[in-house]
Amino acid sequence: MEIFKTDKTYDFMSKRIPFLGLSSFLVIVSIILLLTRGLNFGIDFAGGTIIQVKYEQAAPIDKLREILKPTKYSNAVITEFGNPNEVIIRITGSTSDLTNDIGDEMHTLLSPSGKFEIRRVDMVGPKVGGELREKGLMALGLSLIVMLIYVSYRFEWRFAVASILALLHDATIAMGAISLFQVEVNLDILAAILTLLGYSINDTIIVFDRIRENLQITKDTLLENVINFSVSKTLSRTTLTSLTTLFVVATLLFFGGEIIYGFSFTLFVGIIVGTYSSIFVASTFLVQFKFSVEDFKNKEAEKMKIAKEKARNRAMYEQGTI
């Protein structure tokens, strides 16, 4: 199945400056959002307690807020969870003043609100939350470093730097969207960001692989033409892959419930941005870095010459002539 004609070459590079301008604008806005609004860290990173309560009837959320307001749990955030009968009570911040029987204490406090059962109580201390946050940032940093090394080994350093800049572009915009909509940041969000990095680098490497392949066989020395041809050839594949993945993620986003909302929201934004960057951003950096087609061809010719020389010497050795 083809969405775009494979025999047609689209001129992406002639519009690279407007696309870079759009990307720069989105990245700057995302950074401003992260610095001003910040991230809404959940229990996993900020520490605190999650209490899941199920009622026999519709949960009286307003009454629950009134009951908890004069208590030490006045900062609790109460939201519907999955259906009108269940709610999640989030108490963020330090849990040093909370005892092990908080479930029993909460059961006593909420008894005037109707018949219910406490289905889950999760507690995370502030020290553990801080460690999770540090390890999460470390995981992101290490993943970028490993990807940089891998792409440098497989391609050339300009390809590696271009791919990492595209990944930073995708991750920054995704985090900006999370900040804008104040999506609760927990371990699921971290997993979504790491998944996004893997998805985006895979798309980018496919495009770069086609560019490298065409650089070896083309007689055209203008990099922009080679990129336009290569991206046009992979356009249908990139679009179809992204659309099928996006349909699944959209289903999870709209029908999966609150428990996976953060994960699916991050992937939904990330897939859109990652597909855009694979087509319009990553390859553009190669042009901005002054990648030379002639130098590449000379290096490849030298590699082939050395390989042929090694093969000739090996053949002579095996025949006993040297």
Side-chain angles (χ1 to χ4, degrees), residues 1-47:
M1 179 178 178
E2 294 181 357
I3 297 179
F4 302 96
K5 295 180 179 180
T6 55
D7 59 346
K8 182 177 180 179
T9 300
Y10 300 92
D11 190 5
F12 295 105
M13 291 300 100
S14 66
K15 303 176 181 61
R16 67 179 183 274
I17 299 303
F19 284 126
L20 279 179
L22 174 62
S23 294
S24 300
F25 172 76
L26 292 175
V27 169
I28 292 172
V29 170
S30 297
I31 293 174
I32 292 174
L33 284 170
L34 291 171
L35 293 176
T36 55
R37 290 174 64 89
L39 294 173
N40 178 25
F41 288 110
I43 302 298
D44 291 340
F45 295 134

Short mmCIF file of all heavy atoms in Angstrom, two decimals, residues 1-47:
data_model
loop_
_atom_site.label_atom_id
_atom_site.label_comp_id
_atom_site.label_asym_id
_atom_site.label_seq_id
_atom_site.Cartn_x
_atom_site.Cartn_y
_atom_site.Cartn_z
N MET A 1 0.84 -1.21 0.00
CA MET A 1 0.00 0.00 0.00
C MET A 1 0.88 1.25 0.00
O MET A 1 1.82 1.35 0.78
CB MET A 1 -0.91 0.01 1.24
CG MET A 1 -1.81 1.23 1.33
SD MET A 1 -2.90 1.17 2.78
CE MET A 1 -3.74 2.74 2.60
N GLU A 2 0.58 2.18 -0.88
CA GLU A 2 1.36 3.40 -0.99
C GLU A 2 0.44 4.62 -0.86
O GLU A 2 -0.54 4.75 -1.59
CB GLU A 2 2.10 3.46 -2.32
CG GLU A 2 3.17 2.39 -2.46
CD GLU A 2 3.89 2.49 -3.78
OE1 GLU A 2 3.49 3.36 -4.59
OE2 GLU A 2 4.83 1.72 -4.02
N ILE A 3 0.79 5.49 0.07
CA ILE A 3 0.06 6.76 0.21
C ILE A 3 0.63 7.79 -0.74
O ILE A 3 -0.09 8.57 -1.35
CB ILE A 3 0.14 7.26 1.67
CG1 ILE A 3 -0.54 6.25 2.61
CG2 ILE A 3 -0.53 8.62 1.81
CD1 ILE A 3 -0.48 6.65 4.07
N PHE A 4 1.97 7.77 -0.87
CA PHE A 4 2.65 8.71 -1.76
C PHE A 4 3.31 7.94 -2.91
O PHE A 4 3.80 6.83 -2.71
CB PHE A 4 3.71 9.50 -0.99
CG PHE A 4 3.16 10.27 0.18
CD1 PHE A 4 3.20 9.72 1.46
CD2 PHE A 4 2.60 11.52 0.01
CE1 PHE A 4 2.70 10.41 2.54
CE2 PHE A 4 2.09 12.22 1.09
CZ PHE A 4 2.14 11.66 2.36
N LYS A 5 3.32 8.51 -4.08
CA LYS A 5 3.92 7.86 -5.24
C LYS A 5 5.43 7.74 -5.06
O LYS A 5 6.11 8.72 -4.73
CB LYS A 5 3.61 8.68 -6.50
CG LYS A 5 2.13 8.73 -6.86
CD LYS A 5 1.90 9.54 -8.12
CE LYS A 5 0.42 9.57 -8.51
NZ LYS A 5 0.18 10.36 -9.73
N THR A 6 5.94 6.52 -5.28
CA THR A 6 7.37 6.29 -5.09
C THR A 6 8.22 6.84 -6.23
O THR A 6 9.42 7.00 -6.09
CB THR A 6 7.65 4.77 -4.97
OG1 THR A 6 7.11 4.11 -6.13
CG2 THR A 6 7.00 4.20 -3.73
N ASP A 7 7.58 7.14 -7.37
CA ASP A 7 8.33 7.67 -8.50
C ASP A 7 8.36 9.19 -8.50
O ASP A 7 8.87 9.81 -9.43
CB ASP A 7 7.74 7.16 -9.82
CG ASP A 7 6.27 7.55 -9.98
OD1 ASP A 7 5.65 7.97 -8.98
OD2 ASP A 7 5.75 7.41 -11.10
N LYS A 8 7.83 9.78 -7.44
CA LYS A 8 7.82 11.24 -7.35
C LYS A 8 8.74 11.69 -6.22
O LYS A 8 8.74 11.12 -5.14
CB LYS A 8 6.41 11.77 -7.10
CG LYS A 8 6.32 13.29 -7.05
CD LYS A 8 4.89 13.77 -6.87
CE LYS A 8 4.81 15.29 -6.83
NZ LYS A 8 3.42 15.77 -6.68
N THR A 9 9.54 12.70 -6.49
CA THR A 9 10.46 13.25 -5.48
C THR A 9 9.92 14.58 -4.98
O THR A 9 9.69 15.51 -5.77
CB THR A 9 11.87 13.44 -6.07
OG1 THR A 9 12.37 12.18 -6.52
CG2 THR A 9 12.80 14.01 -5.02
N TYR A 10 9.71 14.66 -3.68
CA TYR A 10 9.19 15.88 -3.06
C TYR A 10 10.36 16.75 -2.58
O TYR A 10 11.34 16.25 -2.02
CB TYR A 10 8.28 15.54 -1.88
CG TYR A 10 7.09 14.69 -2.27
CD1 TYR A 10 7.15 13.30 -2.23
CD2 TYR A 10 5.90 15.29 -2.70
CE1 TYR A 10 6.06 12.52 -2.59
CE2 TYR A 10 4.81 14.51 -3.07
CZ TYR A 10 4.90 13.13 -3.02
OH TYR A 10 3.83 12.36 -3.38
N ASP A 11 10.22 18.04 -2.78
CA ASP A 11 11.31 18.97 -2.45
C ASP A 11 11.17 19.44 -1.00
O ASP A 11 10.67 20.53 -0.72
CB ASP A 11 11.29 20.15 -3.42
CG ASP A 11 12.53 21.02 -3.29
OD1 ASP A 11 13.44 20.64 -2.53
OD2 ASP A 11 12.59 22.08 -3.94
N PHE A 12 11.64 18.60 -0.07
CA PHE A 12 11.56 18.96 1.34
C PHE A 12 12.60 20.01 1.72
O PHE A 12 12.33 20.90 2.53
CB PHE A 12 11.78 17.71 2.21
CG PHE A 12 10.71 16.67 2.06
CD1 PHE A 12 10.94 15.51 1.34
CD2 PHE A 12 9.46 16.85 2.65
CE1 PHE A 12 9.95 14.55 1.20
CE2 PHE A 12 8.47 15.89 2.53
CZ PHE A 12 8.72 14.74 1.80
N MET A 13 13.79 19.89 1.17
CA MET A 13 14.90 20.72 1.61
C MET A 13 14.74 22.20 1.24
O MET A 13 15.34 23.06 1.87
CB MET A 13 16.22 20.18 1.03
CG MET A 13 16.66 18.85 1.63
SD MET A 13 16.92 18.89 3.42
CE MET A 13 15.37 18.17 4.04
N SER A 14 13.95 22.48 0.22
CA SER A 14 13.73 23.89 -0.12
C SER A 14 12.93 24.61 0.96
O SER A 14 12.93 25.83 1.04
CB SER A 14 13.02 24.00 -1.47
OG SER A 14 11.70 23.47 -1.38
N LYS A 15 12.25 23.82 1.81
CA LYS A 15 11.44 24.40 2.89
C LYS A 15 12.05 24.13 4.26
O LYS A 15 11.37 24.22 5.29
CB LYS A 15 10.02 23.81 2.83
CG LYS A 15 9.33 24.02 1.49
CD LYS A 15 7.98 23.33 1.46
CE LYS A 15 7.28 23.52 0.11
NZ LYS A 15 8.05 22.96 -1.02
N ARG A 16 13.34 23.81 4.29
CA ARG A 16 13.95 23.43 5.57
C ARG A 16 14.04 24.60 6.55
O ARG A 16 13.92 24.40 7.76
CB ARG A 16 15.34 22.84 5.34
CG ARG A 16 16.39 23.80 4.81
CD ARG A 16 17.73 23.09 4.66
NE ARG A 16 18.79 24.00 4.23
CZ ARG A 16 19.03 24.29 2.97
NH1 ARG A 16 18.29 23.76 2.01
NH2 ARG A 16 20.02 25.11 2.66
N ILE A 17 14.22 25.81 6.06
CA ILE A 17 14.32 26.96 6.96
C ILE A 17 12.98 27.22 7.69
O ILE A 17 12.98 27.41 8.91
CB ILE A 17 14.79 28.22 6.20
CG1 ILE A 17 16.17 27.98 5.58
CG2 ILE A 17 14.84 29.42 7.15
CD1 ILE A 17 17.24 27.59 6.58
N PRO A 18 11.84 27.24 6.98
CA PRO A 18 10.57 27.38 7.71
C PRO A 18 10.33 26.25 8.71
O PRO A 18 9.83 26.50 9.82
CB PRO A 18 9.52 27.35 6.59
CG PRO A 18 10.24 27.82 5.38
CD PRO A 18 11.63 27.29 5.52
N PHE A 19 10.70 25.02 8.35
CA PHE A 19 10.51 23.91 9.28
C PHE A 19 11.42 24.04 10.50
O PHE A 19 11.02 23.76 11.63
CB PHE A 19 10.76 22.57 8.57
CG PHE A 19 9.64 22.16 7.67
CD1 PHE A 19 9.87 21.86 6.33
CD2 PHE A 19 8.33 22.09 8.14
CE1 PHE A 19 8.83 21.48 5.49
CE2 PHE A 19 7.29 21.71 7.31
CZ PHE A 19 7.53 21.41 5.98
N LEU A 20 12.66 24.47 10.29
CA LEU A 20 13.56 24.70 11.41
C LEU A 20 13.04 25.83 12.30
O LEU A 20 13.16 25.79 13.53
CB LEU A 20 14.96 25.04 10.91
CG LEU A 20 15.85 23.87 10.50
CD1 LEU A 20 17.20 24.37 9.99
CD2 LEU A 20 16.05 22.90 11.65
N GLY A 21 12.45 26.84 11.66
CA GLY A 21 11.85 27.93 12.43
C GLY A 21 10.69 27.46 13.29
O GLY A 21 10.57 27.83 14.47
N LEU A 22 9.82 26.61 12.71
CA LEU A 22 8.70 26.05 13.45
C LEU A 22 9.20 25.19 14.61
O LEU A 22 8.69 25.30 15.74
CB LEU A 22 7.82 25.22 12.52
CG LEU A 22 6.67 24.44 13.18
CD1 LEU A 22 5.69 25.38 13.85
CD2 LEU A 22 5.97 23.56 12.14
N SER A 23 10.19 24.35 14.34
CA SER A 23 10.73 23.49 15.39
C SER A 23 11.37 24.31 16.50
O SER A 23 11.19 24.01 17.69
CB SER A 23 11.77 22.52 14.79
OG SER A 23 11.15 21.62 13.91
N SER A 24 12.12 25.34 16.11
CA SER A 24 12.75 26.21 17.12
C SER A 24 11.70 26.88 17.99
O SER A 24 11.86 26.98 19.22
CB SER A 24 13.63 27.26 16.43
OG SER A 24 14.64 26.65 15.67
N PHE A 25 10.62 27.33 17.36
CA PHE A 25 9.53 27.98 18.11
C PHE A 25 8.91 27.01 19.11
O PHE A 25 8.70 27.35 20.29
CB PHE A 25 8.47 28.49 17.13
CG PHE A 25 7.23 29.00 17.80
CD1 PHE A 25 7.21 30.24 18.42
CD2 PHE A 25 6.06 28.23 17.80
CE1 PHE A 25 6.06 30.72 19.04
CE2 PHE A 25 4.91 28.69 18.42
CZ PHE A 25 4.91 29.93 19.04
N LEU A 26 8.63 25.78 18.66
CA LEU A 26 8.01 24.79 19.55
C LEU A 26 8.94 24.41 20.70
O LEU A 26 8.49 24.25 21.84
CB LEU A 26 7.64 23.54 18.75
CG LEU A 26 6.51 23.71 17.73
CD1 LEU A 26 6.32 22.43 16.92
CD2 LEU A 26 5.20 24.09 18.41
N VAL A 27 10.24 24.28 20.40
CA VAL A 27 11.20 23.93 21.46
C VAL A 27 11.31 25.06 22.48
O VAL A 27 11.32 24.82 23.69
CB VAL A 27 12.58 23.62 20.84
CG1 VAL A 27 13.65 23.54 21.92
CG2 VAL A 27 12.53 22.32 20.07
N ILE A 28 11.38 26.31 22.00
CA ILE A 28 11.49 27.46 22.90
C ILE A 28 10.24 27.57 23.78
O ILE A 28 10.33 27.79 25.00
CB ILE A 28 11.71 28.75 22.10
CG1 ILE A 28 13.10 28.73 21.46
CG2 ILE A 28 11.57 29.98 23.01
CD1 ILE A 28 13.35 29.87 20.49
N VAL A 29 9.07 27.42 23.17
CA VAL A 29 7.83 27.47 23.95
C VAL A 29 7.80 26.35 25.00
O VAL A 29 7.39 26.55 26.15
CB VAL A 29 6.60 27.35 23.01
CG1 VAL A 29 5.32 27.15 23.83
CG2 VAL A 29 6.47 28.61 22.17
N SER A 30 8.26 25.16 24.61
CA SER A 30 8.29 24.03 25.54
C SER A 30 9.22 24.31 26.71
O SER A 30 8.88 24.01 27.87
CB SER A 30 8.73 22.75 24.81
OG SER A 30 7.82 22.40 23.80
N ILE A 31 10.39 24.87 26.43
CA ILE A 31 11.34 25.19 27.50
C ILE A 31 10.76 26.24 28.43
O ILE A 31 10.89 26.15 29.67
CB ILE A 31 12.68 25.67 26.90
CG1 ILE A 31 13.37 24.51 26.17
CG2 ILE A 31 13.59 26.23 27.99
CD1 ILE A 31 14.62 24.91 25.42
N ILE A 32 10.09 27.26 27.86
CA ILE A 32 9.46 28.30 28.69
C ILE A 32 8.39 27.69 29.59
O ILE A 32 8.28 28.02 30.78
CB ILE A 32 8.86 29.41 27.80
CG1 ILE A 32 9.98 30.20 27.11
CG2 ILE A 32 7.99 30.36 28.62
CD1 ILE A 32 9.49 31.21 26.09
N LEU A 33 7.59 26.77 29.04
CA LEU A 33 6.56 26.10 29.83
C LEU A 33 7.20 25.29 30.97
O LEU A 33 6.70 25.30 32.11
CB LEU A 33 5.73 25.17 28.94
CG LEU A 33 4.70 25.83 28.03
CD1 LEU A 33 4.13 24.82 27.05
CD2 LEU A 33 3.57 26.45 28.85
N LEU A 34 8.28 24.59 30.67
CA LEU A 34 8.94 23.78 31.70
C LEU A 34 9.53 24.65 32.80
O LEU A 34 9.54 24.25 33.97
CB LEU A 34 10.03 22.92 31.06
CG LEU A 34 9.55 21.79 30.15
CD1 LEU A 34 10.72 21.16 29.40
CD2 LEU A 34 8.83 20.73 30.95
N LEU A 35 10.02 25.85 32.42
CA LEU A 35 10.61 26.74 33.42
C LEU A 35 9.56 27.49 34.22
O LEU A 35 9.80 27.83 35.40
CB LEU A 35 11.55 27.74 32.72
CG LEU A 35 12.81 27.17 32.08
CD1 LEU A 35 13.59 28.25 31.35
CD2 LEU A 35 13.70 26.50 33.14
N THR A 36 8.42 27.79 33.62
CA THR A 36 7.39 28.58 34.31
C THR A 36 6.34 27.71 34.99
O THR A 36 6.13 27.81 36.20
CB THR A 36 6.71 29.54 33.32
OG1 THR A 36 6.19 28.80 32.20
CG2 THR A 36 7.70 30.58 32.81
N ARG A 37 5.69 26.85 34.23
CA ARG A 37 4.67 25.98 34.81
C ARG A 37 5.26 24.75 35.50
O ARG A 37 4.68 24.23 36.46
CB ARG A 37 3.69 25.51 33.72
CG ARG A 37 2.79 26.61 33.20
CD ARG A 37 1.94 26.11 32.03
NE ARG A 37 1.03 25.06 32.42
CZ ARG A 37 -0.21 25.26 32.87
NH1 ARG A 37 -0.66 26.50 33.01
NH2 ARG A 37 -1.00 24.25 33.16
N GLY A 38 6.41 24.33 35.01
CA GLY A 38 7.05 23.16 35.60
C GLY A 38 6.31 21.87 35.27
O GLY A 38 5.40 21.85 34.44
N LEU A 39 6.72 20.80 35.94
CA LEU A 39 6.10 19.50 35.75
C LEU A 39 5.28 19.13 36.99
O LEU A 39 5.68 19.42 38.11
CB LEU A 39 7.16 18.42 35.49
CG LEU A 39 7.94 18.54 34.19
CD1 LEU A 39 9.07 17.53 34.15
CD2 LEU A 39 7.03 18.36 32.98
N ASN A 40 4.17 18.49 36.73
CA ASN A 40 3.29 18.06 37.82
C ASN A 40 3.72 16.66 38.28
O ASN A 40 3.18 15.65 37.85
CB ASN A 40 1.83 18.04 37.33
CG ASN A 40 0.87 17.55 38.39
OD1 ASN A 40 1.14 17.64 39.59
ND2 ASN A 40 -0.25 16.99 37.96
N PHE A 41 4.75 16.63 39.15
CA PHE A 41 5.28 15.35 39.61
C PHE A 41 4.25 14.61 40.44
O PHE A 41 3.63 15.17 41.35
CB PHE A 41 6.55 15.56 40.43
CG PHE A 41 7.74 15.96 39.60
CD1 PHE A 41 8.27 17.23 39.68
CD2 PHE A 41 8.32 15.06 38.73
CE1 PHE A 41 9.35 17.61 38.92
CE2 PHE A 41 9.41 15.42 37.95
CZ PHE A 41 9.93 16.70 38.04
N GLY A 42 4.08 13.34 40.11
CA GLY A 42 3.14 12.50 40.84
C GLY A 42 3.78 11.87 42.07
O GLY A 42 4.89 12.22 42.48
N ILE A 43 3.08 10.92 42.64
CA ILE A 43 3.54 10.26 43.85
C ILE A 43 4.89 9.59 43.66
O ILE A 43 5.74 9.60 44.55
CB ILE A 43 2.49 9.22 44.32
CG1 ILE A 43 1.13 9.89 44.55
CG2 ILE A 43 2.95 8.51 45.57
CD1 ILE A 43 1.13 10.93 45.62
N ASP A 44 5.11 9.01 42.47
CA ASP A 44 6.34 8.27 42.23
C ASP A 44 7.58 9.13 42.44
O ASP A 44 8.61 8.64 42.92
CB ASP A 44 6.35 7.72 40.79
CG ASP A 44 5.32 6.62 40.61
OD1 ASP A 44 4.90 6.04 41.62
OD2 ASP A 44 4.94 6.35 39.45
N PHE A 45 7.51 10.41 42.04
CA PHE A 45 8.67 11.29 42.11
C PHE A 45 8.61 12.30 43.25
O PHE A 45 9.65 12.70 43.76
CB PHE A 45 8.82 12.04 40.78
CG PHE A 45 9.12 11.14 39.62
CD1 PHE A 45 8.44 11.28 38.41
CD2 PHE A 45 10.07 10.15 39.72
CE1 PHE A 45 8.71 10.44 37.34
CE2 PHE A 45 10.35 9.31 38.65
CZ PHE A 45 9.68 9.45 37.46
N ALA A 46 7.43 12.75 43.63
CA ALA A 46 7.32 13.76 44.69
C ALA A 46 7.15 13.14 46.07
O ALA A 46 7.37 13.80 47.08
CB ALA A 46 6.13 14.69 44.39
N GLY A 47 6.76 11.87 46.12
CA GLY A 47 6.47 11.24 47.41
C GLY A 47 5.04 11.53 47.82
O GLY A 47 4.45 12.54 47.43
#
